[in-house]
Amino acid sequence: MLSPSLNPFDNLLLSSLTAAVPIVLFLLCLTVFKMKGIYAAFLNLGVTFLIAALIFKLPLPEAAGSVVQGAIQGMWPIGYIIVMAVWLYKISVESGKFEVLRASIGGISNDKRIQLLLIGFCFNAFLEGAAGFGVPIAICAVLLVSLGFKPLEAAMLCLIANGASGAFGAIGIPVAITGTLNLEGNVTAMDVSVLTALTLPIINFTIPFLLIFLLNGLKGIKDVLPAILVVSSIYTISQAIITVFLGPELADIIPSLMAMGALALFLRKWKPKHLLLHGEQQTEIKKYPLQEVIKAWSPFYLLSLFVLIWSLPAFKTLFAEGGPLAFTKITFPIPGSSLISALDLVSATGTAILLAVLTTILTAKGFGFAKGFALFTKTISEFWIPILMICFILGIAKLMTYAGMTAVLGEAMATTGGAFPLLAPILGWIGVFMTGSVVNNNTLFAPMQATAATILGTNPALLVSANTAGGVMAKLISPQSIAIAAAAVGETGKEADLMKMTIKYSFGLLAFVCVWTFILSLFF
């Protein structure tokens, strides 16, 4: 905190209400005023700047420096990861690899329940980890429809399935971003990643059962129980291990690949006794040679390999202070302020993805760097607005932190006492429902969760992980997710119907996260 006054009105209620203005205004802009996210974020950045400088007395140079620091972190490493991940995905599509990849999954079984596990759950989680930003819901829903699923049914199932992977979308950014926020209690992204393993595995293990129940009832669960157990156990256990020992970056990618591979191998020895087949509308799936399928998956094998190397502690020590590659980290002061910023040129996760991109371009037959660069510029043109919005929101978060606005909000929330851990996930749910992004939610609310936890004597990383988990449950019904899913399956205009189909599962999962977080808070 750089502001001389934590409580400018000498009244906790009045000071906290003032500090909450940017958040309330942001939510009103998105809901009541129906503003685009970028405009809402820009307006609130200006409002937050004025409140921080004029009311909380944050010196103008420090206020300006806070915005600059947030913008830098929004572009690097966050924007860097987003652009690289989506660029790799576009190369996979443009080179034809993705079509082979999709066919390799869809052709494993003609049973609807098995296809739902493979595509709606596993492939959904894989794409969430590799690209995020609505890509998995759109692609998997369309693929399920092409196989014979009803459009709204496919959209609903993919939305619910996304609840098992949303916390670690786009190479783990929702959790990784918490490490850039200077949270109370010196909470790191790794701390948050570890504590998600106390809650998310329970949800992850349950969701495949829920999906099959929604599709085919208890009979469906009984018929394909062995397949559900293979997917649920392998995905859940491997993700828990990765989040605890490696961090958030590969927490969706490797578990989903392992679950898909294990189920495909399992189906060679086991088949459901009673098949649930599609009607005549099912599209015939083209078969590809094994060698071509292996090549089609290569961009994502490379992605996993390079990100895994970048996640290893031994690799990270190369860039630590005094390490042989420490010179690749550029640290510099922000002019006119006491703040500093840094650019990790090589150790940033985006660089690992860049290597996967370059290797894919070099090994893709008849592709070349000209096409690759064209897709890069297309990616920039499509994502510069979301990245700019993230920069604005990070600027808001930095202003609120350095001005003491986050601290006074945390202190106010702590007045709820021991009941606050029960309510903490709801704050995350609201954040994602309004912004459509777990990244934006954690940027806005993780500092408050950490501050409140510190005051209450609760583990701050626990409440930040609860903020993440609660937020993921809102992805099932956030207006952004609903709009993407409905448009993808050609049901634009039926968003309300899709919302009604999904909302009770969002509330049910949120209720579990709230109660479970409260129980965990008694021990942490």
Side-chain angles (χ1 to χ4, degrees):
M1 190 179 79
L2 302 176
S3 175
S5 176
L6 172 65
N7 189 353
F9 297 106
D10 292 322
N11 182 297
L12 181 60
L13 177 60
L14 189 55
S15 295
S16 61
L17 287 174
T18 304
V21 167
I23 296 170
V24 174
L25 180 59
F26 189 46
L27 299 182
L28 288 174
C29 287
L30 292 171
T31 54
V32 177
F33 305 133
K34 304 295 183 182
M35 293 176 65
K36 290 185 177 180
I38 184 68
Y39 298 141
F42 181 69
L43 172 63
N44 279 273
L45 178 61
V47 170
T48 308
F49 189 96
L50 292 175
I51 293 174
L54 299 180
I55 298 177
F56 283 80
K57 306 301 182 183
L58 181 65
L60 285 176
E62 304 292 4
S66 301
V67 175
V68 172
Q69 187 184 65
I72 291 172
Q73 290 182 351
M75 290 184 287
W76 196 288
I78 305 304
Y80 185 29
I81 293 173
I82 293 170
V83 170
M84 292 300 107
V86 176
W87 187 19
L88 180 65
Y89 164 72
K90 286 184 177 296
I91 289 173
S92 174
V93 173
E94 189 69 20
S95 63
K97 293 178 182 291
F98 194 76
E99 181 58 37
V100 179
L101 182 153
R102 289 198 301 179
S104 70
I105 299 171
I108 291 176
S109 173
N110 60 352
D111 186 286
K112 291 178 66 175
R113 298 158 301 190
I114 301 299
Q115 291 174 344
L116 178 57
L117 290 174
L118 285 166
I119 298 169
F121 184 80
C122 295
F123 197 44
N124 188 322
F126 172 77
L127 289 176
E128 180 67 33
F133 295 93
V135 169
I137 294 171
I139 289 177
C140 293
V142 169
L143 186 52
L144 288 177
V145 170
S146 73
L147 292 173
F149 284 76
K150 297 177 182 177
L152 284 182
E153 176 188 56
M156 175 194 70
L157 293 170
C158 288
L159 285 166
I160 294 171
N162 200 244
S165 55
F168 305 106
I171 320 297
I173 291 178
V175 172
I177 200 170
T178 60
T180 70
L181 301 176
N182 302 318
L183 300 177
E184 287 283 339
N186 297 318
V187 175
T188 66
M190 192 65 194
D191 295 331
V192 178
S193 179
V194 169
L195 286 184
T196 60
L198 297 176
T199 300
L200 292 178
I202 301 173
I203 295 170
N204 295 347
F205 189 84
T206 304
I207 283 181
F209 287 88
L210 176 59
L211 294 174
I212 300 303
F213 175 78
L214 293 174
L215 180 65
N216 194 217
L218 291 175
K219 179 183 183 301
I221 292 178
K222 181 181 178 181
D223 285 347
V224 296
L225 180 61
I228 300 173
L229 290 173
V230 168
V231 170
S232 288
S233 58
I234 290 179
Y235 182 84
T236 300
I237 293 170
S238 59
Q239 187 180 83
I241 292 172
I242 289 170
T243 54
V244 170
F245 294 103
L246 293 178
E249 290 84 0
L250 294 173
D252 279 344
I253 296 174
I254 290 180
S256 57
L257 288 174
M258 290 178 65
M260 271 192 285
L263 182 56
L265 291 174
F266 181 69
L267 290 171
R268 291 186 175 184
K269 301 293 184 181
W270 176 90
K271 302 290 181 185
K273 290 183 179 179
H274 308 286
L275 296 178
L276 182 66
L277 302 175
H278 296 278
E280 295 180 0
Q281 73 270 36
Q282 181 178 3
T283 302
E284 185 176 348
I285 299 171
K286 184 177 179 180
K287 300 289 185 180
Y288 292 91
L290 178 60
Q291 185 178 4
E292 194 169 347
V293 171
I294 293 173
K295 288 180 180 179
W297 279 96
S298 62
F300 303 105
Y301 295 151
L302 293 168
L303 170 68
S304 301
L305 174 62
F306 286 124
V307 174
L308 177 62
I309 293 171
W310 257 245
S311 302
L312 294 174
F315 183 82
K316 291 181 178 180
T317 59
L318 298 175
F319 303 91
E321 188 174 352
L325 298 178
F327 68 92
T328 62
K329 180 177 181 178
I330 302 175
T331 303
F332 54 92
I334 297 175
S337 74
S338 62
L339 302 173
I340 61 172
S341 195
L343 297 177
D344 297 307
L345 299 179
V346 179
S347 62
T349 303
T351 303
I353 310 172
L354 174 60
L355 287 178
V357 168
L358 296 177
T359 307
T360 299
I361 292 174
L362 286 170
T363 55
K365 188 176 181 180
F367 196 75
F369 281 98
K371 284 186 179 179
F373 183 74
L375 290 176
F376 174 75
T377 56
K378 184 178 181 180
T379 303
I380 294 290
S381 68
E382 290 178 359
F383 280 86
W384 75 269
I385 289 180
I387 292 170
L388 185 60
M389 182 177 170
I390 290 172
C391 291
F392 288 159
I393 292 174
L394 275 167
I396 293 169
K398 295 294 182 181
L399 279 168
M400 293 183 68
T401 298
Y402 293 133
M405 296 163 68
T406 295
V408 75
L409 281 170
E411 189 173 332
M413 289 189 293
T415 59
T416 59
F420 182 68
L422 183 68
L423 306 174
I426 298 176
L427 194 62
W429 189 95
I430 292 171
V432 173
F433 180 78
M434 297 303 183
T435 68
S437 166
V438 186
V439 176
N440 292 341
N441 163 58
N442 273 350
T443 304
L444 290 171
F445 294 138
M448 298 171 211
Q449 301 273 18
T451 301
T454 302
I455 295 170
L456 290 169
T458 302
N459 188 331
L462 174 64
L463 294 196
V464 175
S465 70
N467 192 72
T468 305
V472 171
M473 300 311 112
K475 284 200 74 178
L476 278 62
I477 58 167
S478 74
Q480 178 177 304
S481 298
I482 292 290
I484 290 172
V489 297
E491 295 289 353
T492 299
K494 294 187 177 180
E495 290 83 2
D497 294 337
L498 184 56
M499 174 84 74
K500 289 177 184 177
M501 295 169 68
T502 314
I503 192 168
K504 58 185 176 183
Y505 305 108
S506 175
F507 284 156
L509 291 169
L510 174 64
F512 165 76
V513 175
C514 289
V515 173
W516 184 243
T517 300
F518 179 75
I519 294 171
L520 291 175
S521 71
L522 302 176
F523 301 96
F524 288 88

